[in-house]
Structures are given as structure tokens and as C-alpha cells.
Amino acid sequence: MASGNSNFLSGVPELMILRLVQDQEMYGYEIVQAIQAQSRGQLSFGEGVVYPVLHGLEKDGALKSQRREVGGRSRVYYSLTSRGVRRLFDLTDSWTATTQAIQAVLKGGSALRTV
Amino acid sequence: MASGNSNFLSGVPELMILRLVQDQEMYGYEIVQAIQAQSRGQLSFGEGVVYPVLHGLEKDGALKSQRREVGGRSRVYYSLTSRGVRRLFDLTDSWTATTQAIQAVLKGGSALRTV
DNA sequence: ATGGATACCTTGTAGTCCAAGGCATGTAAA
DNA sequence: TTTACATGCCTTGGACTACAAGGTATCCAT
């Protein structure tokens, strides 16, 4: 049910996916639900968001995939490559820096009052 | 000079603008520089970003404008309407909730380990 | 046998940032 | 004087991205 992801989410799916796959290899459908669960329903990226990002990351060499049959189900498991690890670090840094910068502006002109 | 705003910025210009104009009425060109200054160069939204957002917000009734001549310069000053105040509050809440949700996922499956 | 969950996928649309350009005025340097 | 730069407004075109919607297929429970 959870939906209505109002904005502020550009680039976030990629970051979330890389982070989740860092802990353990996962498949697309699982990732969709993990994001909902771990964000307590706040975030909800549909399969139309997740699958294209997975394919893009694999194409860029940040993820590697492995198709596997589990209980009569065909799943595509993804895991991080060394390149993906680097990418995750970079994105995390970028995320931190960006949110801090935004916070600085939200807080007010403290940077100006330093005069 | 400052540029290279890598991602994570969808909807952020609108939030920044509303927040800045909350403190004092400002004009477009001034806003462009204020964002750079207050974020210490981390954020940099060009005029091609700021002006359309200003026009959109005014069209939505969140901002009201007033053209004024200052030192032979023609400036368009923007200030918040009551609707803009409401919008700023909503966006700020949304921003906070979203970043916290993202943080929760970044931190790890603590939500799952609660089992 | 019907529906729902699982599991993969693609298409089209809409929204947003952004670089690049264009116009006009003031001021300072050359 | 003319050249350049900062100020100040604006729009256009492209590119990216989230998202809804739809499509296929299997399994399980009703």
C-alpha cells in the first residue's frame, strides 16, 4: 500500500540498492520489499524503479548477477563487485556532504553571521 | 566556478528558495549566490534552475513578487505568501522524514534485527 | 479454477535539473 | 572609447530519472 514518495529521491534508489547488496546478495523482488521494510514504509520504490537500476549497475560493472533456482523460483541474485564497493563509498560520501550542505542552508544564514 | 552537483537534489531548489525567502524578500540573482554562499560552495543552482522555480511557485500562489528599481537595476523581489509558508513547512517535514528513512536503510537492517 | 503472492521484465509519461544561450544595464579597466 | 566583467532578467533543448502501468510465468491456497 505504502506510496506517495514525494520528491527528494533522485539517485536514492541506486544508493539504497548498493547498500543493501553490500550486506548480502539479494534479488530484485527482495530488494523492493527490503527498502519498504527497513524504512518502515516511508520509502517505496516499485519494480519499475529497481530493475532498471540493477541492470544499469551491472552494465557499469558495479554489480554482478547470478541466476539461481530456489524452490521452483528463478531468481537473479546480485552482489557487489570491487567497483561497486568504490561506487557505494563515493555515493555515501556525496550523500552525506549534500545533506549537510542542505541542512546548513535550512538552519539559516549562520555562514554569513560569522562576519 | 563551483559546479558538479552530483545527484540527490530533486526538489531541493524549491525547498532552498522557500527557506531563504522566509527570512527576507530576495530576488533571483541574489538567491543563486545565497545558496552557494550558505552551503559554502557545496550547492550550486544556476539561474536556469532558480528562475523557473520562482515562476512556478508564484504561479502556485506560494510566492508573490514585486518589481523594484535599485541603483538603476531592475529587480524582482519575492516574498512568501501564507500558502508559501504552509508549503515550506510541508516540504521541510517531508525532507526530514525522507532523510531519516534513508539513514535507517543506510545504517543497516537494524529494523530486522529487532526480531 | 480462481486469485494472490512470487519473480522477472519493458514501455511511455512526466517531472526536474542543467548547460547554454540571449537581452539589457552599470562600472571599471585598457 | 571600447572592452570586459558583474549584475539582473529570461527561455530553450537535452538528458536523466522516478513511476505507473502493463506483460509474462510459476507456485500455492482456496
Side-chain angles (χ1 to χ4, degrees):
Chain A
M1 286 290 133
S3 92
N5 262 355
S6 58
N7 260 358
F8 303 133
L9 294 176
S10 171
V12 172
E14 183 180 337
L15 175 59
M16 299 286 90
I17 288 172
L18 288 170
R19 177 61 185 86
L20 288 172
V21 172
Q22 184 191 30
D23 283 347
Q24 52 183 304
E25 58 176 9
M26 296 178 75
Y27 54 98
Y29 193 82
E30 188 184 15
I31 291 174
V32 168
Q33 301 174 10
I35 292 176
Q36 285 185 23
Q38 296 195 23
S39 70
R40 295 191 175 84
Q42 267 286 324
L43 268 27
S44 183
F45 300 114
E47 306 174 33
V49 173
V50 170
Y51 285 119
V53 173
L54 285 172
H55 300 158
L57 285 173
E58 181 171 26
K59 188 180 168 194
D60 291 351
L63 293 180
K64 58 180 187 290
S65 73
Q66 188 190 355
R67 189 165 220 111
R68 210 180 305 161
E69 307 292 327
V70 179
R73 299 286 181 181
S74 181
R75 298 174 176 170
V76 182
Y77 282 87
Y78 291 89
S79 56
L80 278 187
T81 64
S82 58
R83 199 164 184 159
V85 174
R86 159 90 48 115
R87 190 167 178 80
L88 173 56
F89 284 165
D90 289 348
L91 278 183
T92 305
D93 285 351
S94 172
W95 167 255
T96 304
T98 300
T99 50
Q100 283 179 356
I102 293 170
Q103 272 304 324
V105 179
L106 287 183
K107 260 196 184 175
S110 44
L112 297 180
R113 286 198 266 276
T114 324
V115 186
Chain B
M1 286 287 139
S3 98
N5 262 354
S6 57
N7 261 355
F8 303 133
L9 293 175
S10 170
V12 172
E14 182 180 337
L15 175 58
M16 298 287 90
I17 288 171
L18 288 170
R19 177 59 185 85
L20 288 172
V21 172
Q22 184 191 29
D23 283 347
Q24 51 181 305
E25 59 175 8
M26 295 177 77
Y27 55 98
Y29 191 83
E30 188 184 14
I31 291 174
V32 169
Q33 302 176 10
I35 293 177
Q36 285 186 24
Q38 296 195 23
S39 70
R40 294 189 176 84
Q42 267 286 325
L43 267 30
S44 183
F45 300 114
E47 305 172 35
V49 173
V50 170
Y51 285 118
V53 173
L54 284 172
H55 300 159
L57 285 173
E58 180 171 26
K59 188 179 165 192
D60 291 351
L63 294 180
K64 58 178 186 291
S65 72
Q66 188 190 355
R67 189 165 220 111
R68 208 178 307 161
E69 307 292 326
V70 179
R73 299 283 180 185
S74 181
R75 298 174 177 168
V76 183
Y77 282 88
Y78 291 88
S79 56
L80 279 186
T81 64
S82 57
R83 198 162 185 165
V85 173
R86 157 89 49 114
R87 190 166 180 81
L88 173 57
F89 285 165
D90 290 348
L91 278 184
T92 304
D93 285 350
S94 173
W95 167 255
T96 304
T98 300
T99 50
Q100 282 177 357
I102 293 170
Q103 272 304 323
V105 178
L106 287 183
K107 262 197 185 175
S110 45
L112 297 179
R113 286 196 266 275
T114 325
V115 187

